[in-house]
Amino acid sequence: MKNFISNLFLDGGISLKLDEYESPGAIYSIKDNFKKYGIIVLENFNIKPENLVDYINQFTTKYSNDANRRVERFGKKNIKSVDVGNHQIPLHSESSFTPACPEIMWFYCVENNLENGTPTTICDGVKVWEAIPLELKKKFLSEPIVYKVEAEVPKKKDNKSREWYIESIGIKDPIINFAEGKLSFLYKKYAINYIKQINKISFCNHILSIFDEKQILEAYIESDKKFLKNHYKFIEELTEKFTYEFKWKKNLLLIIDNNRFMHGRRAIKKNEKRDIINIQTLISNF
């Protein structure tokens, strides 16, 4: 059974309720629908959370390294908690300020005690790009965002900072300090992505989270040398018009194209018991 998710998304997205999620036909259907819609909800996806990676292996060539601040769950290094705390998280494309930006985000609801609990916010960058004025489009087409990043790495007994090598397009001046457990670099990346499956451009980036993400020390459009407040405010107001509030139920699996859709969350209610886990596919196999 198929249902559309929201008219805020191009083509509506898709919600699937399948009799058997493990069958080859189901795997093919999920891959095929993901290419078309970029976002899928699998209903009544009743699985032991610790077995989730085994299932997602069928879609994944390589996993992304998630942020160290997130807690490993169920004894599996690729299953992590979402960010702790009750604060609101702005829309963002996961880790899009680093080379570890995943292709696919998988979110699974282990538990949710409120019927009208805190929603995950989702925004289709294709719809946003269509609504951006021409002059601003020209700017984002021609200029990358420059992120100054300081990421955590495992500490070692080594007192010297040294040049590091990261084989990724857009990386500049990576420096590692094992004694402090820090890796710093500049990273240039465009605020838009080409989504070849639907031949569209998506405005999908980390701009709205640059003040929320501690690893980002600074970010700006390359020629401006700073991020203009009027640009930030405009993007914030425009994306809100296309933001869908996804309500969680136990055993829902949400699959998002991280190059097309931005996600975040509203502030979590104090009496809410909300347990969402995430897995990040760096490179898919389809």
Side-chain angles (χ1 to χ4, degrees), residues 59-78:
F59 304 85
T60 300
T61 298
K62 185 178 180 180
Y63 290 97
S64 182
N65 292 320
D66 198 359
N68 288 338
R69 68 176 180 270
R70 297 199 179 106
V71 179
E72 185 179 299
R73 300 292 304 278
F74 306 103
K76 304 288 185 178
K77 67 177 183 178
N78 290 318

Side-chain angles (χ1 to χ4, degrees), residues 68 151-158 176-182:
N68 288 338
E152 294 182 4
V153 296
K155 291 184 178 182
K156 297 180 181 179
K157 291 182 179 180
D158 187 334
I176 199 160
N177 187 318
F178 284 115
E180 295 182 3
K182 293 179 180 178

Side-chain angles (χ1 to χ4, degrees), residues 4-185:
F4 292 116
I5 300 172
S6 172
N7 59 10
L8 292 174
F9 306 153
L10 184 73
D11 296 326
I14 200 77
S15 181
L16 301 176
K17 189 175 182 180
L18 305 177
D19 293 330
E20 177 54 67
Y21 287 110
E22 294 280 357
S23 70
I27 301 300
Y28 175 83
S29 177
I30 292 167
K31 290 180 177 181
D32 190 54
N33 279 289
F34 186 81
K35 289 176 183 178
K36 181 177 180 180
Y37 297 104
I39 182 168
I40 299 177
V41 176
L42 299 185
E43 301 180 36
N44 296 333
F45 192 82
N46 192 3
I47 191 173
K48 290 181 179 179
E50 58 267 29
N51 295 334
L52 198 53
V53 173
D54 293 333
Y55 183 77
I56 295 174
N57 282 343
Q58 298 174 93
F59 304 85
T60 300
T61 298
K62 185 178 180 180
Y63 290 97
S64 182
N65 292 320
D66 198 359
N68 288 338
R69 68 176 180 270
R70 297 199 179 106
V71 179
E72 185 179 299
R73 300 292 304 278
F74 306 103
K76 304 288 185 178
K77 67 177 183 178
N78 290 318
I79 302 179
K80 294 288 188 76
S81 66
V82 295
D83 281 329
V84 298
N86 294 335
H87 60 291
Q88 178 170 314
I89 296 178
L91 290 168
H92 60 284
S93 167
E94 191 71 33
S95 297
S96 54
F97 58 96
T98 78
C101 179
E103 287 184 20
I104 305 174
M105 293 295 297
W106 307 75
F107 295 99
Y108 183 68
C109 184
V110 179
E111 186 175 1
N112 187 32
N113 69 327
L114 297 182
E115 186 174 338
N116 193 29
T118 299
T120 288
T121 50
I122 305 171
C123 183
D124 188 348
V126 172
K127 296 283 284 187
V128 175
W129 181 249
E130 290 175 346
I132 289 178
L134 181 60
E135 287 306 309
L136 194 53
K137 277 185 175 179
K138 289 178 181 179
K139 193 172 190 68
F140 286 124
L141 284 166
S142 63
E143 294 189 51
I145 309 297
V146 180
Y147 298 97
K148 184 177 181 181
V149 179
E150 187 177 83
E152 294 182 4
V153 296
K155 291 184 178 182
K156 297 180 181 179
K157 291 182 179 180
D158 187 334
N159 294 324
K160 293 182 179 179
S161 292
R162 65 186 70 179
E163 292 184 2
W164 200 244
Y165 180 72
I166 301 174
E167 194 166 53
S168 182
I169 296 170
I171 284 285
K172 184 178 181 182
D173 298 332
I175 302 291
I176 199 160
N177 187 318
F178 284 115
E180 295 182 3
K182 293 179 180 178
L183 172 65
S184 60
F185 53 86

Side-chain angles (χ1 to χ4, degrees), residues 87-275:
H87 60 291
Q88 178 170 314
I89 296 178
L91 290 168
H92 60 284
S93 167
E94 191 71 33
S95 297
S96 54
F97 58 96
T98 78
C101 179
E103 287 184 20
I104 305 174
M105 293 295 297
W106 307 75
F107 295 99
Y108 183 68
C109 184
V110 179
E111 186 175 1
N112 187 32
N113 69 327
L114 297 182
E115 186 174 338
N116 193 29
T118 299
T120 288
T121 50
I122 305 171
C123 183
D124 188 348
V126 172
K127 296 283 284 187
V128 175
W129 181 249
E130 290 175 346
I132 289 178
L134 181 60
E135 287 306 309
L136 194 53
K137 277 185 175 179
K138 289 178 181 179
K139 193 172 190 68
F140 286 124
L141 284 166
S142 63
E143 294 189 51
I145 309 297
V146 180
Y147 298 97
K148 184 177 181 181
V149 179
E150 187 177 83
E152 294 182 4
V153 296
K155 291 184 178 182
K156 297 180 181 179
K157 291 182 179 180
D158 187 334
N159 294 324
K160 293 182 179 179
S161 292
R162 65 186 70 179
E163 292 184 2
W164 200 244
Y165 180 72
I166 301 174
E167 194 166 53
S168 182
I169 296 170
I171 284 285
K172 184 178 181 182
D173 298 332
I175 302 291
I176 199 160
N177 187 318
F178 284 115
E180 295 182 3
K182 293 179 180 178
L183 172 65
S184 60
F185 53 86
L186 291 179
Y187 186 53
K188 295 182 180 182
K189 187 174 183 180
Y190 284 89
I192 54 178
N193 299 307
Y194 173 65
I195 311 302
K196 65 180 180 180
Q197 294 88 346
I198 57 172
N199 192 29
K200 298 281 186 180
I201 288 177
S202 173
F203 183 82
C204 190
N205 50 65
H206 223 86
I207 289 173
L208 294 177
S209 280
I210 58 177
F211 304 113
D212 186 71
E213 176 55 68
K214 292 181 180 179
Q215 294 182 91
I216 300 176
L217 304 182
E218 191 178 358
Y220 49 87
I221 298 176
E222 188 168 42
S223 67
D224 295 338
K225 301 302 180 184
K226 61 180 180 180
F227 211 91
L228 303 180
K229 289 183 178 179
N230 61 325
H231 288 159
Y232 184 94
K233 188 66 176 176
F234 175 79
I235 293 166
E236 187 177 46
E237 292 175 352
L238 180 62
T239 53
E240 186 62 28
K241 293 178 182 178
F242 294 99
T243 294
Y244 172 69
E245 294 191 339
F246 177 76
K247 299 294 180 67
W248 285 102
K249 294 180 181 178
K250 186 176 180 179
N251 298 334
L252 281 184
L253 181 64
L254 172 64
I255 313 170
I256 296 177
D257 182 341
N258 192 50
N259 290 314
R260 174 177 166 182
F261 287 86
M262 294 179 284
H263 68 276
R265 76 177 182 214
R266 303 300 189 196
I268 297 176
K269 301 175 178 67
K270 290 183 179 180
N271 63 333
E272 185 171 356
K273 192 171 183 179
R274 180 183 188 269
D275 188 4

